Amino acid sequence: MGLTKQYLRYAASAVFGVIGGQKANIAYVTLRGGERGRYVAVAACEHVFIWDVRKGEKVLILKGQKHEVTFLCASPDGVHVAVGYEDGAVRIFSLLSSESSVSFNGHKTAVSAMRYDALGARLVTGSRDTDVIVWDIINESGLYRLRGHKDVITEALFLKDQNLLVTSSKDSFVKWWDLDTQHCFKTMVGHRSEVWGMVLLNQENRLLTGSADSELRAWDISYLQEEKAVGEPKVKKEKTLLDDDDEEDNEEEADESLEERILSCKKAGSILREARDRVVSLAADAKGRVIACHGNDAVLELFTVLSEEELQKTMTKKLKKAKKKAAKTQKDAGEEAAEPVVERMLKDEILKLTKIKASAKIRWVDCLSCAGGELKVALLLQNNTIETYSLKTSGRAPAANKTARLTLGGHRTDVRTLAFSSDNLAVLSASGDTVKVWNRSTLQVIRTMACDYALCSLFVPGDRQVILGTKSGKLQIFELASGSLLETVAAHNGSLWSLCLAPDQRGFITGSADQTVKFWEFELIKDQATDQKRLTVKHTRTLQLEEDVLCVKFSPDHRLLAVSLLDSTVKVFYTDSLKFFLSLYGHKLPVLCLDISHDNTLIATGSADRNVKIWGLDFGDCHRSMFAHDDSVMFLQFVPKTHLFFTAGKDKKIKQWDADKFVLIQTLEGHHREVWCFTISPNGDHIVSASHDKSLRLWERTREPIILEEEREMEREAEFEESMAKGDDPVVPGETEGEAAPAAKKTIDTVKAAERIMEALELYKEENRKLEEHKYASMTAVNKLPPPKPNPILVAFGNVSPSRYVLDVIKKVRSSELEVSLLVLPFPYVPQLLTLFNSYIQQGLEVELVCRCLFFLLKIHFGLISGNQMLLSVIDELRTNTVSKVQEIRDVMGFNSAALQFLQREIESKEDVMFFADATGQLAKRKRKRRKRERAILTIA
Ligand SMILES: *[C@@H]1O[C@H](CO)[C@@H](O)[C@H](O)[C@H]1NC(C)=O
Ligand SMILES: *[C@@H]1O[C@H](CO)[C@@H](O)[C@H](O)[C@H]1NC(C)=O
Ligand SMILES: *[C@@H]1O[C@H](CO)[C@@H](O)[C@H](O)[C@H]1NC(C)=O
Ligand SMILES: *[C@@H]1O[C@H](CO)[C@@H](O)[C@H](O)[C@H]1NC(C)=O
């Protein structure tokens, strides 16, 4: 033995082969200076790819971490993209830096809908966990969680002019929420089944919903805000903590009157789609002039929405026609008739525009209207393809032109076989219809060739041809230089499952479901057509077996041949005589993959029974059986020149093992669905794997050694953290599970943040104790004592004072996680924190942040704080100090706001346009709210 073995870590290097993931939508984005409609964002497993559809190139990757992307949405200014993930997290990426600086954690499961408001200041997210959450983008914090739906949220839309939100869900309901009160004031029950999508049209006076049938339902919305101004007698109510003061609000009325006061919503009719099945996605362009809708097939239906003026025009025309007709009938009949009436119908307002037939089933649609009445449509298809179309909306029955189709960078169906070229530089991948050869270093496609359904493959020595074995039992020989199919050989009568190159490189063997193993030799023959030599294969021998053959392998010394059979055994034969040598019994289900080590001593087998067995090839004894994966072991290969091997499973994982010590070395996680196969480069430095998630992944051997104990420890830790994050959400004491709840949820980060605050408080306490001791000692001592040494942490942070250090730690907590972190903080730390807050406020340090923390702590620990005599004086001081400091800040803000208004007027008068109008209005409102809230608390405290 001697030296201990050193294992080197393999690390994820790249994801390729995905053009557009099926889990998330497609969205147009703008890149700096780029023209509109040129770039689309789609999910690619955990990443987001941004494609330049004109050039067919991937121009940007927004890197994710672990969970798949389930929704994405571009901000109105085009600078950011919000990305929602399978685990419920939301991250905001900048398209300038492709970095993400903000992340929101609130949902328990996949994000299923997401929209910005018109200004890009708020984001609403809906999830499979049935919650809707509104986030403040500027403050980077959660505003509120809205509960009420009973199934997956399918759409959520902000209204432009009102502080309202409308959401739809698979629970068949559409709900209207008043965001001032975070209250659902209206539930529309007109759908009998899932609501799959909705759009707002005509200045938000019309709502169109798509459901499980061919009807698009239209609803008239009228806003009744005007009546509010009339004002009703105020109803005095019992005030609770945090309730808004009621100077101007009559929001807390009973539901019915509220609903009546805000809006009324009546069904106006419906538009019939041609498709009979459910709406899969429903989209409108930003102006709400065109609606695109599709079901579960390849046809996209487009409708135009007439504006009020256009509608007036057609109505006048209609009326004229009717009058003429009436006049005619009058003349014919010779009698007086009433003035004809033309009713305004929904079908006059929303007209069929055209249909687009895509080349495969459509998964998602996005549309964009551009200058000159041009409409651009981007379709994400179900077979890993993106297509874009353009059409003129103005014309009569316009035809849509296909402008781009992205197919090159990936396969339409799952890749079932992979192979590395002998020089480690090229990788072959083959699927149900195409074989591609990739440049390993650039991951660009070198060749794409049509093929039959491929199951196995190899590079012919010399790397100039490749051979595929197909499901129909054929061998297909391709030449890479010309990218052409040289020959198709009818080799077997059943699926050709396995190919293995002979160690002497002069031929190969094939194993098939027709219960035979066949031997083939390479041959060069003269092509009659071109008169040039070309490669062909010659069948030389056949080994007949009693069962279907699943996998075949030569031993590297060419002496033996291992064949796995459908009866779950592996039989080993002598290559020269084809005489039976050994049988390996033990697996309970068929062996799907096997490999023999470079020194001909070991054979490793992976089976559908989830186990891997390692056998000696000299006696056929089983050295060890290991439970390897949580599902069938699909592929297995030794790392060249070692006794280490990799396995891939239907459980999405790839694992590395030591065949001498029988230990698991490393688990490569990344694939989101079954892993079908992988290939290790001849030098052992690279692995490429393929999965049902459509992605191909490249893994690289690094120089980082793996220490097994540490690796296991890390795995346990990861497991623990996952379970911790899954734990129950913290509950605000005294608060019931209502319609509105805090937006964020407990995560590892929030727990860690709380721990950091606790540590900082401990440090502060310790330092204070030292100072006290010093003071006491100095009083009694004769000589002056040197001051105590400050804690090294404080020194490291630039000799800050202990109290300042606590504030710094709080400041470092992510804004979006602050409340939940404080919620996790045990109460015994709170009194000290309050005392500290008092001193911060006196010094005017971070008053806004401190107030935010203070009010939250007061709210959640109200009972404990008010019952604690010791805290009485602290609270009392806080009250006076906070009021005066907040007043100061208000004055500053008022000054700034006045200055901004002044600037706004200046700019408006100069440019003759309205500017900032909305933004400043909202700012003022928010400020007013904050002020009110503060006062409410302080009077109670
Ligand atoms: C998949 O996409 C390709 C090209 O994008 C198209 O030609 C083909 O018909 C589609 N196949 C299926 C099965 O939908
Ligand atoms: C679509 O193609 C036709 C014929 O190639 C052309 O006349 C028409 O202008 C194109 N339409 C658009 C919107 O590009
Ligand atoms: C792959 O790309 C690199 C860089 O462009 C190039 O140097 C190399 O020759 C390519 N390899 C193959 C096999 O095409
Ligand atoms: C396939 O089976 C048929 C009849 O069962 C037989 O005639 C034929 O030779 C077989 N072909 C091959 C390639 O084995």
Side-chain angles (χ1 to χ4, degrees):
M1 289 282 145
L3 270 171
T4 43
K5 262 189 212 172
Q6 201 184 33
Y7 306 119
L8 292 177
R9 183 180 299 285
Y10 281 80
S13 158
V15 176
F16 61 110
V18 196
I19 292 168
Q22 302 293 302
K23 283 222 169 158
N25 56 323
I26 185 168
Y28 274 110
V29 294
T30 39
L31 286 192
R32 55 205 123 166
E35 70 195 89
R36 273 156 56 82
R38 180 161 178 181
Y39 304 98
V40 293
V42 285
C45 298
E46 68 272 30
H47 305 311
V48 171
F49 285 172
I50 301 202
W51 292 94
D52 176 342
V53 290
R54 171 102 69 76
K55 286 192 182 155
E57 280 172 10
K58 197 187 300 167
V59 287
L60 210 60
I61 300 176
L62 309 179
K63 284 213 164 82
Q65 282 154 355
K66 185 172 168 194
H67 297 278
E68 275 181 286
V69 174
T70 54
F71 207 89
L72 37 94
C73 176
S75 71
D77 60 5
V79 179
H80 294 96
V81 175
V83 182
Y85 297 88
E86 183 75 43
D87 64 343
V90 174
R91 293 166 73 196
I92 315 268
F93 285 86
S94 156
L95 285 175
L96 302 176
S97 63
S98 68
E99 300 279 323
S100 150
S101 51
V102 182
S103 77
F104 294 137
N105 280 297
H107 291 295
K108 289 194 193 71
T109 51
V111 176
S112 55
M114 217 157 41
R115 295 286 162 205
Y116 278 94
D117 69 1
L119 290 171
R122 289 173 304 172
L123 180 76
V124 58
T125 58
S127 159
R128 229 186 284 148
D129 68 10
T130 75
D131 287 353
V132 173
I133 302 183
V134 181
W135 307 91
D136 183 334
I137 300 279
I138 294 160
N139 239 341
E140 299 180 9
S141 61
L143 290 174
Y144 16 79
R145 177 191 297 265
L146 306 172
R147 293 202 172 117
H149 279 296
K150 297 270 185 306
D151 207 336
V152 179
I153 308 297
T154 52
E155 182 67 281
L157 302 167
F158 282 108
L159 275 82
K160 274 199 193 72
D161 303 326
Q162 332 264 342
N163 197 18
L164 303 179
L165 185 73
V166 55
T167 57
S168 67
S169 159
K170 268 173 78 178
D171 67 6
S172 86
F173 299 128
V174 170
K175 284 181 180 280
W176 290 86
W177 306 84
D178 180 351
L179 292 181
D180 288 332
T181 57
Q182 298 112 50
H183 181 72
C184 171
F185 63 90
K186 189 177 192 67
T187 300
M188 288 161 62
V189 292
H191 303 87
R192 255 162 285 136
S193 48
E194 300 91 337
V195 182
W196 289 105
M198 49 179 190
V199 290
L200 281 164
L201 308 168
N202 297 9
Q203 277 80 47
E204 308 187 335
N205 285 314
R206 162 96 61 239
L207 182 73
L208 200 67
T209 56
S211 182
D213 47 24
S214 53
E215 217 182 307
L216 294 178
R217 291 168 178 76
W219 310 82
D220 269 331
I221 307 164
S222 22
Y223 301 92
L224 309 163
Q225 290 281 321
E226 303 76 36
E227 289 169 29
K228 197 171 174 178
V230 176
E232 283 147 79
K234 278 182 200 166
V235 187
K236 270 278 174 215
K237 276 195 174 178
E238 259 182 74
K239 288 278 125 188
T240 49
L241 196 66
L242 274 188
D243 266 342
D244 282 355
D245 234 346
D246 60 350
E247 12 173 50
E248 46 153 27
D249 72 341
N250 25 31
E251 292 159 342
E252 292 161 21
E253 306 282 340
D255 285 14
E256 313 82 62
S257 57
L258 234 178
E259 171 174 332
E260 285 315 302
R261 196 149 359 93
I262 296 178
L263 57 81
S264 78
C265 195
K266 279 199 276 309
K267 186 161 178 194
S270 56
I271 303 162
L272 284 185
R273 299 190 295 138
E274 278 179 27
R276 291 294 166 93
D277 59 346
R278 77 168 178 98
V279 168
V280 171
S281 74
L282 175 65
D285 67 326
K287 290 182 207 126
R289 300 298 309 280
V290 179
I291 306 164
C293 181
H294 67 88
N296 233 322
D297 54 14
V299 179
L300 180 79
E301 291 180 60
L302 290 168
F303 303 88
T304 38
V305 185
L306 294 192
S307 66
E308 193 55 32
E309 292 159 34
E310 289 167 323
L311 195 56
Q312 287 294 349
K313 242 187 246 167
T314 42
M315 291 327 291
T316 336
K317 232 184 253 169
K318 269 205 174 167
L319 193 63
K320 244 187 222 160
K321 225 184 201 169
K323 270 188 185 155
K324 223 185 233 166
K325 201 168 159 203
K328 201 160 164 236
T329 41
Q330 263 172 43
K331 224 192 268 161
D332 292 348
E335 57 184 74
E336 282 296 300
E339 187 80 344
V341 190
V342 182
E343 247 184 281
R344 205 190 243 216
M345 309 277 280
L346 188 66
K347 65 177 199 295
D348 300 320
E349 182 189 320
I350 301 177
L351 307 169
K352 274 210 170 91
L353 182 63
T354 187
K355 283 190 299 184
I356 295 178
K357 176 100 172 59
S359 55
K361 287 181 181 172
I362 303 170
R363 186 65 195 83
W364 287 101
V365 58
D366 194 17
C367 47
L368 185 71
S369 21
C370 297
E374 189 193 10
L375 181 75
K376 291 186 174 173
V377 178
L379 299 178
L380 174 62
L381 306 184
Q382 283 187 19
N383 70 355
N384 200 19
T385 306
I386 293 170
E387 286 184 348
T388 62
Y389 293 83
S390 110
L391 70 158
K392 292 254 184 279
T393 49
S394 47
R396 217 166 266 280
N401 291 356
K402 189 181 294 170
T403 45
R405 177 196 270 180
L406 304 186
T407 55
L408 194 63
H411 289 274
R412 308 283 77 71
T413 55
D414 286 7
V415 169
R416 294 293 180 150
T417 176
L418 292 162
F420 249 108
S421 65
S422 60
D423 58 5
N424 307 299
L425 293 179
V427 184
L428 168 161
S429 63
S431 71
D433 52 4
T434 44
V435 50
K436 286 176 184 283
V437 178
W438 308 79
N439 183 329
R440 192 217 73 220
S441 57
T442 60
L443 299 178
Q444 303 275 353
V445 181
I446 304 170
R447 284 279 176 274
T448 299
M449 297 161 286
C451 66
D452 288 356
Y453 198 121
L455 296 176
C456 49
S457 61
L458 56 79
F459 271 92
V460 176
D463 296 335
R464 296 164 69 176
Q465 296 92 5
V466 295
I467 296 184
L468 302 182
T470 73
K471 204 175 173 179
S472 55
K474 297 194 181 76
L475 281 172
Q476 293 195 307
I477 309 171
F478 294 89
E479 187 173 60
L480 293 182
S482 60
S484 60
L485 175 65
L486 290 180
E487 193 179 353
T488 300
V489 181
H492 286 277
N493 261 351
S495 296
L496 204 166
W497 287 114
S498 182
L499 276 171
C500 179
L501 191 67
D504 64 6
Q505 306 217 327
R506 287 157 63 176
F508 59 96
I509 46 172
T510 54
S512 157
D514 69 358
Q515 312 192 338
T516 59
V517 173
K518 291 187 177 175
F519 288 67
W520 305 82
E521 269 175 18
F522 297 121
E523 263 193 349
L524 284 174
I525 57 162
K526 211 169 221 179
D527 194 294
Q528 268 115 19
T530 60
D531 208 31
Q532 288 194 335
K533 289 221 169 143
R534 71 163 178 87
L535 183 83
T536 186
V537 293
K538 193 173 84 180
H539 176 210
T540 54
R541 291 195 289 172
T542 304
L543 171 63
Q544 182 70 44
L545 293 135
E546 262 99 65
E547 292 278 345
D548 291 14
V549 177
L550 298 177
C551 195
V552 290
K553 199 76 160 198
F554 278 119
S555 65
D557 60 5
H558 211 174
R559 197 171 66 93
L560 299 172
L561 164 66
V563 181
S564 95
L565 300 170
L566 199 60
D567 66 0
S568 313
T569 63
V570 173
K571 294 203 158 62
V572 183
F573 299 88
Y574 290 103
T575 308
D576 48 5
S577 60
L578 295 186
K579 267 205 209 121
F580 173 78
F581 170 53
L582 278 176
S583 194
L584 310 178
Y585 288 105
H587 280 294
K588 296 200 177 60
L589 288 171
V591 171
L592 304 177
C593 48
L594 57 84
D595 199 9
I596 299 174
S597 66
H598 67 102
D599 53 4
N600 311 297
T601 56
L602 298 174
I603 174 166
T605 56
S607 154
D609 68 11
R610 308 170 182 199
N611 287 300
V612 164
K613 288 180 195 283
I614 298 158
W615 319 72
L617 199 52
D618 36 6
F619 302 111
D621 51 328
C622 180
H623 290 178
R624 186 66 68 100
S625 183
M626 299 184 288
F627 181 79
H629 288 273
D630 291 329
D631 205 332
S632 299
V633 183
M634 298 305 293
F635 204 83
L636 184 156
Q637 194 181 343
F638 273 100
V639 178
K641 303 195 188 76
T642 69
H643 277 185
L644 311 180
F645 66 93
F646 280 92
T647 57
K650 268 195 185 171
D651 64 354
K652 314 170 191 174
K653 291 181 180 139
I654 298 171
K655 295 183 177 179
Q656 190 189 16
W657 309 84
D658 184 331
D660 293 325
K661 298 191 174 159
F662 318 117
V663 289
L664 171 68
I665 301 166
Q666 190 192 359
T667 304
L668 303 180
E669 289 187 70
H671 281 298
H672 299 283
R673 303 293 291 274
E674 298 90 325
V675 184
W676 298 130
C677 56
F678 60 83
T679 177
I680 304 178
S681 65
N683 61 11
D685 283 344
H686 293 93
I687 301 176
V688 174
S689 56
S691 154
H692 185 44
D693 66 15
K694 293 279 188 302
S695 72
L696 301 175
R697 279 168 198 265
L698 178 68
W699 311 84
E700 239 170 38
R701 185 156 64 186
T702 62
R703 307 199 146 252
E704 182 193 342
I706 291 186
I707 295 150
L708 292 182
E709 292 75 38
E710 278 180 13
E711 193 71 8
R712 293 300 92 78
E713 181 64 26
M714 265 160 58
E715 281 166 17
R716 272 195 294 275
E717 241 166 55
E719 225 164 73
F720 172 71
E721 294 199 334
E722 204 138 286
S723 68
M724 190 160 80
K726 270 199 197 120
D728 288 340
D729 272 341
V731 179
V732 179
E735 209 170 78
T736 46
E737 293 263 300
E739 253 180 4
K745 70 168 181 186
K746 183 172 137 188
T747 61
I748 306 151
D749 289 337
T750 54
V751 173
K752 282 191 179 151
E755 273 170 11
R756 279 197 300 274
I757 297 176
M758 283 186 253
E759 277 165 18
L761 283 169
E762 291 290 350
L763 188 146
Y764 170 74
K765 225 168 32 190
E766 178 62 25
E767 289 298 292
N768 262 6
R769 195 186 50 77
K770 269 199 266 175
L771 277 181
E772 282 295 316
E773 269 175 13
H774 174 252
K775 212 158 78 187
Y776 186 72
S778 320
M779 271 191 329
T780 50
V782 187
N783 295 327
K784 219 175 157 220
L785 290 176
K789 272 215 175 77
N791 190 307
I793 295 181
L794 299 177
V795 180
F797 277 89
N799 255 332
V800 293
S801 70
S803 81
R804 182 75 213 201
Y805 174 68
V806 176
L807 183 60
D808 285 346
V809 168
I810 296 175
K811 248 164 75 183
K812 272 189 211 134
V813 178
R814 275 208 197 133
S815 176
S816 58
E817 290 166 354
L818 188 61
E819 271 85 6
V820 182
S821 304
L822 289 174
L823 199 49
V824 182
L825 191 73
F827 182 74
Y829 289 95
V830 171
Q832 195 156 34
L833 206 52
L834 291 182
T835 321
L836 276 172
F837 284 169
N838 193 16
S839 79
Y840 300 148
I841 287 180
Q842 270 175 351
Q843 298 167 56
L845 291 172
E846 305 288 339
V847 174
E848 239 186 295
L849 176 75
V850 171
C851 283
R852 190 174 150 197
C853 298
L854 174 62
F855 298 149
F856 185 75
L857 286 176
L858 283 175
K859 181 177 150 197
I860 59 174
H861 298 302
F862 181 66
L864 285 171
I865 292 175
S866 55
N868 190 332
Q869 285 292 325
M870 310 274 288
L871 283 176
L872 216 63
S873 61
V874 178
I875 296 291
D876 205 42
E877 262 183 69
L878 268 171
R879 186 174 55 126
T880 42
N881 291 337
T882 313
V883 170
S884 66
K885 280 294 162 188
V886 169
Q887 181 64 41
E888 271 173 36
I889 290 195
R890 268 182 59 198
D891 291 346
V892 172
M893 276 197 192
F895 180 81
N896 288 349
S897 153
L900 280 174
Q901 273 161 15
F902 172 74
L903 276 178
Q904 176 189 355
R905 280 195 301 274
E906 287 280 291
I907 293 171
E908 275 167 13
S909 66
K910 228 183 246 167
E911 312 221 331
D912 212 18
V913 286
M914 286 293 278
F915 220 161
F916 296 149
D918 264 332
T920 46
Q922 278 208 341
L923 185 70
K925 208 150 104 201
R926 200 173 308 154
K927 226 180 328 173
R928 204 158 55 230
K929 255 214 181 114
R930 177 175 308 152
R931 203 190 64 224
K932 273 197 300 190
R933 194 173 325 146
E934 282 160 7
R935 201 165 54 227
I937 287 187
L938 290 172
T939 43
I940 283 160

